[in-house]
Amino acid sequence: MQMKRWIRPWLFIAPALLSITLLKYYPIAQAFFMSLHEYDLVHPPGRFVGFGNYKSLLDIGFFWTSWRNTFVYLVLTLVLAFIPPIIQAVFLNEIKRFGRLFRSIYILPVVIPLSVTVILWKWIWHPDYGLANMITRYVGLGTHSWLNDLHLAKFALIFPGFLGGGIAVFIYLAAIQGIPEEIFEAATLDGAGKWRQLLRITLPNISFVIAIQLIFTVIGVLQILDLPFQMTHGGPVNSTSSVALGIYEYAEKNMDYGAATASSFMLMFVILLITVVQLLLSKEDTN
Amino acid sequence: MKKWLGSTLVLATAASMLAACGGNNSNSGAASPSESGSAAASPSAKASAPASSVELTLWANTKDESEFDKSLRNEFMALHPNIKLNVIDKSGDTNTEYAIAYAAGVAPDVIDISGPMFKKYIQKGYFAPLDDFIASWPEKDKHTDVFKEIGIKDGTTYGLVTFLGPMMFGYNKALFSQANLQPPKTWDEMIADAVKLTDRSKNQYGYSMLANDWLDWFFQFYVWQAGGDLTTVKDDGTIELQFTSPAVVKALELYKDLKWKDQVVQSDITLDFNGMVQEFATGKSAMMIFAPDWVPMVASLGMKVEDLGIIPMPVGPSGQPVTSTGVALTAITGNISKEKQQAAWEWIAYRYGRDAITKKLQDQEKKGIVPPQIMIYKDMKQSDIVTLDPAWEEALNEGVSTGRDEYEGKAVLTKYVVAAVQKVLVDKNADIKAELQKQQDLAQKEAVDKYNADVLAGK
């Protein structure tokens, strides 16, 4: 008996749909439920407090510091770390000899675990014998405390991204290589130089990929946890704490699961809002 | 296509969000016990052993625990054929993971919990009462009374003290000997020694100051030695902040001097506890506050045990020696069957029986690393069983007599103390009193009022 045509696609997506519902959306719903309670692990769910956990968070200075830091991370990332992979991909595309070698060099950092990168950069930023101070001293900029400096610590955490590399370069490179060669040839015949080709052909043709990358970058940075956790534990004086690090601390250190989940939902709401705005702008731009 | 992509991204955003919401080691704790002499360790074991077969789930850091710890479980099972110990490998902070495991119904049946965490958990009702087991335990009168109150709530005992370790002061004997210095007995001597032992050209400094996680736990010692405390407890159990008291100011002045005036501490204050221990073990740092059960840790990082000096904490302006005593308690998870609870008690009595403790010490001596420790039985003395560095033993004994519990309210006050101290450590122009006042005001508004309300409400 032939299976009804409309059933087939549902059967294919059913396992994934079921998994996502059970492992993603159910925990999200459960977390929202927790956020409305003074959650008691022994006698769940504990006392219902409505949006009391949300309100309490708004009264805590640390909560606002974390949000401020998180947005500074976002700005620093967009300014320092978002553009370099695009530039690197453009140049990598131009390199014909040793192209594979350079692509390998760029992909290599991706396979290095974050913990290793953290150890390396902690050494680079070390106030006494770090490479960063050797360089700044050499160029006459003096020495700095970097991670120990309230004003430089966030910069020091994000700066490694300025060096580019990583998977983003390859996403852009693949997009650039997907642009038909004929377009560049026609532009060359019409007298367009490399700079004009970049602005008029390359960037417009990969703008969709850039928009996607931008969305994922924003989502990723707003959830930043691993870097401040491993590099500075959120210090000094909370200058590198982030919203996600705060969530971790509410849950793991204070065992205040109500506050942790409430903070998670606030973060989710902000990310959703920003993502929707980005998508609307992107759509408007495309139109 | 765009619409589909948009929806997907929004959903992906939502789905990925809660990732951010996500202990001492349960069965590899400092004091481990018994073996074949189980009859001596737990005379009631066989008489009261569960009739049917019982499986107990335990957590253990199997990677780091000694062969002795592993063999102990096998010997217990051989002596108690109806009790099977099912070990789940667990590294990291089992103290905090326990709560989550409890909620998920996968908590171990027996758990070792640090004293501060036990205070939180006992309020939550995670543990089974131990009174009936203790009543028939032959060791009940000889078991230590130190900090036993942590394991008691409303007259019922929920935790048995199974580890005691006073905080002491460690120094690198080799560095002191090279510089022809004597270990410090006072703050002034500590500063003087630290200055002489600081040589930045050799990447060597005098004193390791923990300025990261756990900062306040180390800072509290200096506050006490200055003659005060970070909080005081009123008769009704509520707390009053003392951040701006002379003792706290004095302690923070010491920190400020060590960092800025004498410049004898590590220049990277983001150095965490593990990094700090590593720098001490590798001879980069000459002194640090030291717990006796860290001896194996520094040895594993390359420090020769004979180079490790352990002395009482240098005395501060109060002239009174004072330190804290690290404590761990062992408990039985409350939501398991009575039969399992009985089996769990058999395991506890066996593991922390004097026979097991003796054999563990002998095993450590054979390996050349015997951390000084307070025995959990009143009539037991470590140096009667193994050879112990006399200076270590003296420091241990002084630690026992001068040890106290951490400052009250630490659980909710850590971040405020940390912020004030760190501010002084990163800004040499910071006004100590102003920073302490600022954090005191914040702590009062954000944490203490609720803490006190909970205390009064009996939560």
Side-chain angles (χ1 to χ4, degrees):
Chain A
M1 195 173 69
Q2 196 163 3
M3 195 181 288
K4 283 187 179 173
R5 195 187 165 108
W6 66 270
I7 294 180
R8 216 175 293 164
W10 282 103
L11 282 178
F12 275 102
I13 64 162
L17 200 61
L18 199 66
S19 310
I20 290 171
T21 306
L22 282 176
L23 301 174
K24 296 276 188 186
Y25 291 101
Y26 171 71
I28 289 172
Q30 179 68 18
F32 180 67
F33 179 71
M34 285 170 78
S35 76
L36 303 176
H37 293 81
E38 207 170 76
Y39 202 77
D40 184 340
L41 285 174
V42 182
H43 307 290
R47 193 165 68 92
F48 178 79
V49 291
F51 286 94
N53 285 320
Y54 294 80
K55 191 181 165 297
S56 300
L57 283 171
L58 300 179
D59 292 333
I60 294 176
F62 171 75
F63 177 76
W64 291 108
T65 306
S66 303
W67 269 104
R68 202 164 42 242
N69 291 340
T70 303
F71 276 101
V72 174
Y73 283 133
L74 181 59
V75 172
L76 282 171
T77 303
L78 294 179
V79 172
L80 286 174
F82 189 72
I83 308 294
I86 302 173
I87 298 168
Q88 287 163 347
V90 169
F91 281 106
L92 264 183
N93 187 52
E94 293 299 317
I95 292 172
K96 303 300 173 202
R97 288 188 72 186
F98 306 117
R100 277 190 184 179
L101 174 70
F102 282 103
R103 282 200 289 276
S104 303
I105 289 171
Y106 274 89
I107 198 76
L108 207 57
V110 178
V111 300
I112 298 173
L114 179 72
S115 305
V116 177
T117 311
V118 165
I119 292 169
L120 183 73
W121 277 95
K122 280 203 84 166
W123 173 75
I124 290 172
W125 295 128
H126 196 281
D128 282 346
Y129 49 81
L131 183 66
N133 270 346
M134 281 171 65
I135 294 170
T136 52
R137 198 185 302 123
Y138 183 75
V139 299
L141 293 175
T143 57
H144 303 277
S145 304
W146 303 114
L147 294 170
N148 296 268
D149 186 312
L150 296 179
H151 308 293
L152 286 176
K154 283 188 279 289
F155 166 83
L157 254 64
I158 298 299
F159 180 78
F162 178 68
L163 304 181
I167 207 75
V169 175
F170 288 85
I171 292 171
Y172 292 129
L173 185 62
I176 292 169
Q177 290 178 341
I179 304 169
E181 194 58 34
E182 295 80 8
I183 301 178
F184 291 105
E185 286 169 8
T188 308
L189 286 174
D190 289 342
K194 285 286 181 190
W195 181 244
R196 182 163 289 224
Q197 284 180 28
L198 173 70
L199 293 180
R200 301 285 180 177
I201 300 170
T202 308
L203 290 180
N205 274 286
I206 65 166
S207 63
F208 183 64
V209 177
I210 294 174
I212 299 290
Q213 276 293 106
L214 181 64
I215 288 167
F216 281 119
T217 301
V218 171
I219 292 172
V221 176
L222 290 177
Q223 294 183 59
I224 191 166
L225 168 71
D226 41 12
L227 266 179
F229 180 75
Q230 292 195 44
M231 295 276 263
T232 56
H233 294 267
V237 202
N238 300 323
S239 63
T240 58
S241 63
S242 66
V243 178
L245 189 58
I247 293 168
Y248 168 82
E249 289 188 357
Y250 297 135
E252 286 291 308
K253 283 192 180 168
N254 305 349
M255 289 191 291
D256 187 346
Y257 300 101
T261 48
S263 186
S264 297
F265 269 87
M266 287 184 184
L267 180 58
M268 185 173 85
F269 179 75
V270 171
I271 293 177
L272 273 174
L273 202 68
I274 293 174
T275 306
V276 168
V277 170
Q278 281 181 300
L279 287 170
L280 289 175
L281 289 175
S282 168
K283 190 177 173 185
E284 202 171 275
D285 188 42
T286 308
N287 288 340
Chain B
M1 175 68 181
K2 285 275 179 71
K3 200 175 270 182
W4 171 86
L5 184 70
S7 312
T8 309
L9 279 170
V10 171
L11 290 175
T13 309
S16 64
M17 268 308 307
L18 295 174
C21 263
N24 232 354
N25 200 347
S26 85
N27 288 301
S28 61
S32 214
S34 164
E35 70 94 80
S36 55
S38 78
S42 168
S44 64
K46 287 186 180 169
S48 54
S52 57
S53 186
V54 169
E55 183 174 306
L56 289 178
T57 301
L58 308 174
W59 282 355
N61 186 347
T62 53
K63 184 171 72 70
D64 291 340
E65 69 177 356
S66 68
E67 283 304 314
F68 177 83
D69 291 318
K70 286 173 193 159
S71 66
L72 195 68
R73 291 193 291 268
N74 292 332
E75 286 161 6
F76 175 80
M77 285 190 282
L79 286 161
H80 301 78
N82 53 350
I83 303 175
K84 188 185 170 205
L85 302 179
N86 174 31
V87 176
I88 294 175
D89 183 56
K90 192 67 85 172
S91 56
D93 186 6
T94 52
N95 274 316
T96 48
E97 270 190 51
Y98 177 79
I100 297 161
Y102 186 97
V106 292
D109 299 318
V110 179
I111 184 78
D112 295 344
I113 301 275
S114 69
M117 203 55 110
F118 201 92
K119 286 184 201 166
K120 278 189 193 177
Y121 286 175
I122 199 170
Q123 301 300 330
K124 306 268 183 189
Y126 293 160
F127 308 127
L130 301 180
D131 294 309
D132 290 346
F133 301 124
I134 291 172
S136 57
W137 187 34
E139 300 282 14
K140 66 173 185 289
D141 296 327
K142 292 167 195 152
H143 187 254
T144 184
D145 292 325
V146 179
F147 288 121
K148 71 189 288 187
E149 68 278 3
I150 296 176
I152 299 172
K153 187 190 169 209
D154 300 331
T156 302
T157 302
Y158 293 94
L160 190 73
V161 172
T162 48
F163 172 76
L164 290 165
M167 292 304 290
M168 301 188 283
F169 197 78
Y171 70 99
N172 187 316
K173 280 184 184 173
L175 295 178
F176 270 71
S177 171
Q178 283 162 24
N180 204 20
L181 293 171
Q182 291 302 311
K185 289 186 177 147
T186 63
W187 282 15
D188 290 341
E189 288 178 19
M190 180 184 86
I191 295 168
D193 287 349
V195 169
K196 287 175 189 151
L197 289 164
T198 299
D199 183 349
R200 299 287 173 189
S201 67
K202 288 201 288 190
N203 193 23
Q204 179 186 305
Y205 56 92
Y207 177 71
S208 281
M209 176 190 285
L210 189 65
N212 214 311
D213 262 12
W214 287 89
L215 176 158
D216 62 327
W217 207 73
F218 281 61
F219 181 66
Q220 67 181 354
F221 304 130
Y222 291 102
V223 176
W224 298 341
Q225 288 155 17
D229 204 345
L230 286 151
T231 53
T232 49
V233 186
K234 294 185 196 166
D235 291 341
D236 59 3
T238 58
I239 57 171
E240 192 174 340
L241 295 173
Q242 300 295 333
F243 288 8
T244 53
S245 65
V248 180
V249 173
K250 191 82 192 160
L252 195 46
E253 278 169 357
L254 171 75
Y255 268 46
K256 187 175 185 177
D257 286 350
L258 290 169
K259 168 70 183 170
W260 297 111
K261 191 177 125 212
D262 304 308
Q263 300 186 13
V264 293
V265 299
Q266 76 275 15
S267 44
D268 180 13
I269 70 150
T270 65
L271 194 71
D272 60 13
F273 172 74
N274 289 329
M276 191 177 80
V277 173
Q278 189 166 12
E279 300 218 331
F280 177 71
T282 52
K284 284 183 182 172
S285 151
M287 293 178 273
M288 68 177 282
I289 288 174
F290 201 86
D293 53 331
W294 299 346
V295 174
M297 201 189 325
V298 293
S300 72
L301 289 167
M303 187 172 201
K304 290 181 193 162
V305 177
E306 57 269 27
D307 283 345
L308 174 63
I310 301 178
I311 52 173
M313 294 262 197
V315 176
S318 72
Q320 297 297 315
V322 56
T323 187
S324 79
T325 300
V327 56
L329 295 95
T330 300
I332 298 172
T333 296
N335 59 1
I336 59 174
S337 68
K338 290 285 173 202
E339 203 171 27
K340 268 192 159 192
Q341 289 181 20
Q342 176 66 48
W345 174 256
E346 296 304 327
W347 166 239
I348 293 170
Y350 184 86
R351 188 181 170 217
Y352 293 106
R354 63 181 66 224
D355 195 37
I357 293 173
T358 302
K359 288 197 159 96
K360 174 142 187 162
L361 287 171
Q362 289 164 343
D363 181 64
Q364 289 172 331
E365 187 174 45
K366 218 183 294 172
K367 289 172 184 154
I369 302 169
V370 186
Q373 65 184 79
I374 306 170
M375 296 289 100
I376 56 168
Y377 295 106
K378 294 172 200 164
D379 56 347
M380 247 182 140
K381 201 173 162 201
Q382 193 180 8
S383 56
D384 288 343
I385 302 164
V386 290
T387 308
L388 198 63
D389 183 329
W392 288 14
E393 192 174 16
E394 195 187 324
L396 187 74
N397 290 336
E398 184 172 322
V400 174
S401 59
T402 60
R404 53 158 286 183
D405 200 3
E406 65 185 18
Y407 71 94
E408 200 66 32
K410 181 185 176 297
V412 297
L413 295 174
T414 288
K415 68 175 175 230
Y416 304 101
V417 179
V418 169
V421 178
Q422 283 188 338
K423 176 72 180 178
V424 170
L425 295 178
V426 296
D427 179 2
K428 66 175 151 191
N429 298 317
D431 181 333
I432 287 178
K433 277 189 185 163
E435 292 303 328
L436 287 168
Q437 184 67 57
K438 182 179 161 192
Q439 293 304 326
Q440 173 157 306
D441 293 345
L442 265 178
Q444 184 68 44
K445 182 179 149 224
E446 296 176 0
V448 175
D449 290 342
K450 183 177 182 305
Y451 178 92
N452 284 341
D454 286 351
V455 168
L456 293 173
K459 281 188 192 172

